């Protein structure tokens, strides 16, 4: 583990001595309402040596809103495999790095997993702050059982899509999916083919934003709604599991 006293951020007790270590912070950012950001997230971002952002233009607006001025570099799914070693090396040299995505918690259907894994392998401390994510509000507000659930994220767009749906055909837990507005109608149609038209579902869009909407009912009713009303915004589909016999 790389520890230096000049970085008073995270204290680790080791052999009765106090060390201060560099840290990788995984920082959730608002998925809609900017007031959803936590005071701790703002403090971490304002003190980080470097902020890794999925899209520096999007994150730049967030940081500007809160008057945070820290160095920022792009870190996204197209460059993370090529750049992760460089950022881990900076962590080992004593820097504190915060990683953020465009919205929500990094690593949940967004970049973040790879750098967290490699930082841990390199002996660097990793801390994920609690904060905004779309799946939990959608699940809790669905009215469907949330004591046990499985998060599926985005289904494969083409190869493996039908296979994955068939694997979930007998899933008894509540299922949570992310979907784009361009595929919602297609996805609901496929769900009806696999799970049946009467399976209960909650389709939420624009969570924590002005036009937040949750459509609850059967898959057939949800499909009818979004066939008649153009889907807009980011979607979370919460699907009831196979009923217990």
């Amino acid at each position: 583990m790389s520890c230096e006293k000049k970085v008073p951020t995270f204290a680790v007790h080791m052999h009765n001595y106090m060390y201060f270590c560099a840290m990788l912070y995984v920082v959730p950012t608002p998925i809609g309402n900017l007031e959803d950001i936590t005071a701790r997230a703002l403090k971490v971002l304002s003190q980080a040596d470097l902020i890794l952002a999925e899209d520096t233009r999007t994150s730049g607006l967030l940081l500007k809103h809160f008057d945070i001025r820290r160095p920022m570099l792009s870190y996204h799914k197209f460059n993370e495999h090529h750049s992760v070693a460089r950022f881990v090396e900076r962590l080992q040299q004593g820097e504190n790095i915060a990683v953020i995505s465009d919205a929500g918690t990094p690593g949940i259907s967004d970049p973040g997993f790879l750098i967290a894994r490699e930082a841990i392998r390199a002996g660097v401390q990793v801390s994920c702050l609690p904060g905004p994510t779309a799946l939990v509000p959608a699940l809790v507000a669905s009215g469907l059982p949330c004591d046990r659930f499985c998060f599926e994220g985005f289904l494969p767009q083409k190869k493996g899509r039908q296979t994955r749906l068939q694997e979930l055909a007998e899933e008894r837990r509540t299922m949570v999916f992310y979907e784009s507005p361009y595929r919602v109608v297609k996805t609901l149609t496929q769900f009806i083919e696999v799970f049946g038209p009467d399976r209960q579902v909650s389709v939420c869009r624009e969570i924590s934003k002005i036009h937040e909407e949750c459509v609850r009912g059967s898959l057939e009713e949800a499909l009818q709604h979004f066939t008649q009303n153009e889907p807009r915004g980011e979607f979370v589909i919460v699907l009831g599991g196979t009923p217990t016999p």
Side-chain angles (χ1 to χ4, degrees), residues 25-29 52 99-101 103-113 128 132:
Y25 289 96
V26 180
V27 183
T29 54
L52 300 181
V99 57
I100 59 178
S101 61
T105 301
I108 306 298
S109 295
D110 278 323
F113 158 71
C128 180

Side-chain angles (χ1 to χ4, degrees), residues 7 52 83 179 196 206:
V7 188
L52 300 181
S83 60
E179 193 52 278
E206 296 294 84

